[in-house]
Amino acid sequence: MNASCRHCTHPLSPFLDLGQMPLANGFLKAEEFSQEYFYPLICGVCLNCNLVQLMTQPAPEKLFHHHYPFLTQSSKAMTHHFKALANSLLPEIKSLPDPFVVEIGSNDGTLLRPFSENKIRHVGVEPSLDPAKISKERGVSTLNTFFNVKTAHDILQKEGKADLILAANAFCHIADLSGLFEGLKILLKPDGWVIFEDPYFPDVLTKNSYDQIYDEHVFLFSLLSIQKIASSHGLTLVDGEPLSTHGGSMRYTLCHVQETQPTPRLRSLMDQELKLKLSTFAPYQSFADQVHSSKDKLRDLLIKLRSQGHRICAYAATSKSTTVLNFCRIGPELIDFICDSTPSKQGKFSPGMHIPVVAPNYFENPDLKYALLLGWNHQEEILAKETVFRSRGGQWITYIPEVRFL
Ligand code: TMP
Ligand code: ZN
């Protein structure tokens, strides 16, 4: 397969073929099975700029739908995470004359809301209709559109340049990377900051969390790749902050000023990244080997438990789980059902493997002996809520970083 880097056009090196994949959020009804859409999910890397990216992408009209099923406010942990970020930024923003804050991919307005409550001029850019609507209802000024050079110009004309541009789990979804970074360059004040966070590729490597690879995650960034992309658009990476969200993320800070010195924390994180030798193919090859061995182990374990006659369910029908279930060929013959708190997923079937998705109260079934934790990145929140399962002898199964009982 010939594909070139979305940033520097250098040829991509494919390293992990996850097979034919349905859309990660394509939960469906039984009558829709025959028209289900599949595409080849292959992950590659550009050894020139270190950018890890999908080799192919599903047709864009298949991807963004009005009813994007995830609302930030539905996760307590994420709500808390964004409140803490807003609160850490507010004092400095409030000290500026007539400050202006933009968020790219603002979802239901959870991160911008504290700015709105503090009467800070702001705008969120959110392409999915339902979250954008909810965000407006919550008092957050929102544009229901994609962010690109045109949107940057539109905002600029109406509101002027931004002191702060925020984004969380948004940049890795935007295939038009050059439109995104040009937009940032246009919209950011000379002394403004861009702060964004996304799943961090070195964490994917060390945790073997290959389920971060799915249609919506076009890119898996590292500090090295972001540094190169930012500098090619006249922006400078000045800080990195490791985060535990989404199973391992990085918060990047960019500014215009080329002379700004990187923080000592960024220097040390970059040193750690250099040790991974991400400009060579070897780490990607050994990652792919580990992923295949994880698949064999997970299948073997589930097949063994099933042959002993146990009922097994899964917990949290996450986007990531579509990659795991389809790559490992885990269907209803191994998993009875998936419990999930999102009403729009309940009563439907999981993409590709067609496991029924049911409400969390099904988890109270005393016959359940084993539960596959698909929402491993929400482990703390889920285990704290489901203590009864363990107290009556239930066992959790994870596959991150390796297949084992918790
Ligand atoms: P995501 O990781 O793709 O955003 O999906 C998270 C899914 O996990 C979402 O459908 C809701 C579900 N979930 C639960 O069912 N119970 C929980 O306690 C948590 C935190 C999430
Ligand atoms: Zn490249």
Side-chain angles (χ1 to χ4, degrees):
M1 178 176 297
N2 295 318
S4 50
C5 174
R6 290 173 180 81
H7 169 56
C8 74
T9 72
H10 194 268
L12 290 178
S13 309
F15 61 90
L16 182 59
D17 184 346
L18 293 159
Q20 285 295 316
M21 211 38 81
L23 297 182
N25 269 305
F27 294 88
L28 71 179
K29 298 181 192 137
E31 58 268 30
E32 294 167 323
F33 288 172
S34 60
Q35 291 119 49
E36 196 170 13
Y37 174 80
F38 289 85
Y39 70 99
L41 180 58
I42 303 168
C43 197
V45 60
C46 170
L47 292 173
N48 184 46
C49 73
N50 301 101
L51 184 55
V52 174
Q53 53 200 289
L54 300 186
M55 301 288 293
T56 52
Q57 249 193 299
E61 68 275 12
K62 304 267 179 205
L63 271 184
F64 268 93
H65 22 81
H66 292 327
H67 312 289
Y68 192 60
F70 180 72
L71 293 179
T72 306
Q73 59 181 336
S74 65
S75 163
K76 269 191 204 146
M78 289 313 285
T79 303
H80 177 77
H81 172 79
F82 289 130
K83 267 199 187 142
L85 173 59
N87 287 336
S88 73
L89 296 167
L90 266 165
E92 200 173 334
I93 289 296
K94 285 203 303 202
S95 73
L96 301 171
D98 190 25
F100 177 45
V101 179
V102 175
E103 189 190 359
I104 299 170
S106 51
N107 195 275
D108 57 15
T110 299
L111 175 56
L112 279 180
R113 205 168 163 189
F115 294 92
S116 157
E117 286 166 353
N118 278 273
K119 310 267 178 281
I120 306 284
R121 214 155 45 86
H122 66 276
V123 66
V125 182
E126 173 51 55
S128 293
L129 185 63
D130 289 354
K133 250 186 182 159
I134 293 168
S135 166
K136 286 181 201 168
E137 284 161 16
R138 297 169 90 198
V140 173
S141 135
T142 309
L143 290 177
N144 180 213
T145 186
F146 288 93
F147 183 82
N148 49 32
V149 170
K150 180 181 177 300
T151 313
H153 277 297
D154 290 348
I155 297 174
L156 185 65
Q157 228 172 19
K158 198 155 172 256
E159 303 279 359
K161 291 199 182 225
D163 297 276
L164 175 63
I165 302 180
L166 297 169
N169 311 306
F171 285 10
C172 68
H173 293 236
I174 303 178
D176 177 14
L177 204 55
S178 113
L180 164 65
F181 275 78
E182 277 309 293
L184 296 177
K185 181 83 188 153
I186 291 164
L187 195 54
L188 190 65
K189 264 190 195 165
D191 54 355
W193 303 94
V194 179
I195 300 178
F196 72 98
E197 56 192 60
D198 276 298
Y200 183 53
F201 180 68
D203 280 332
V204 172
L205 273 191
T206 48
K207 293 186 179 154
N208 207 37
S209 49
Y210 64 94
D211 53 359
Q212 291 285 12
I213 304 167
Y214 59 91
D215 53 74
E216 291 168 24
H217 287 173
V218 189
F219 301 109
L220 286 168
F221 298 124
S222 55
L223 291 159
L224 273 172
S225 58
I226 288 299
Q227 187 185 47
K228 287 180 183 166
I229 296 161
S231 78
S232 76
H233 290 275
L235 295 165
T236 309
L237 174 65
V238 288
D239 192 24
E241 180 186 354
L243 304 170
S244 61
T245 46
H246 287 282
S249 298
M250 184 61 73
R251 183 176 285 158
Y252 306 85
T253 302
L254 310 177
C255 67
H256 279 291
V257 195
Q258 306 290 318
E259 303 80 56
T260 311
Q261 288 301 311
T263 58
R265 172 168 70 180
L266 176 61
R267 278 182 217 273
S268 117
L269 287 165
M270 292 284 258
D271 285 345
Q272 287 174 36
E273 253 189 35
L274 287 170
K275 288 190 189 131
L276 294 173
K277 298 197 175 8
L278 297 177
S279 300
T280 68
F281 194 66
Y284 304 95
Q285 182 61 61
S286 52
F287 168 65
D289 294 345
Q290 267 185 59
V291 171
H292 281 279
S293 129
S294 169
K295 166 186 179 168
D296 295 342
K297 286 184 186 140
L298 183 57
R299 277 190 60 79
D300 290 351
L301 176 62
L302 294 176
I303 290 169
K304 186 177 112 194
L305 296 175
R306 206 53 158 181
S307 69
Q308 293 166 352
H310 296 297
R311 297 203 69 190
I312 312 172
C313 81
Y315 202 102
T318 56
S319 329
K320 319 177 171 47
S321 69
T322 296
T323 297
V324 175
L325 297 173
N326 284 274
F327 173 63
C328 301
R329 309 307 300 160
I330 297 169
E333 70 295 344
L334 292 175
I335 300 281
D336 292 295
F337 52 80
I338 308 173
C339 293
D340 192 281
S341 59
T342 307
S344 64
K345 294 182 187 176
Q346 295 160 8
K348 292 191 179 161
F349 293 85
S350 73
M353 298 312 293
H354 305 161
I355 303 171
V357 181
V358 298
N361 65 320
Y362 278 64
F363 201 59
E364 290 158 18
N365 182 339
D367 291 345
L368 280 177
K369 184 82 201 334
Y370 295 99
L372 180 63
L373 184 58
L374 297 173
W376 58 268
N377 53 314
H378 303 290
Q379 179 176 321
E380 221 174 287
E381 194 169 344
I382 293 172
L383 266 59
K385 192 160 48 180
E386 302 291 1
T387 50
V388 176
F389 174 63
R390 267 182 156 168
S391 62
R392 61 173 166 70
Q395 280 196 287
W396 290 99
I397 301 166
T398 189
Y399 40 88
I400 302 292
E402 63 205 353
V403 177
R404 63 184 171 89
F405 295 112
L406 281 179

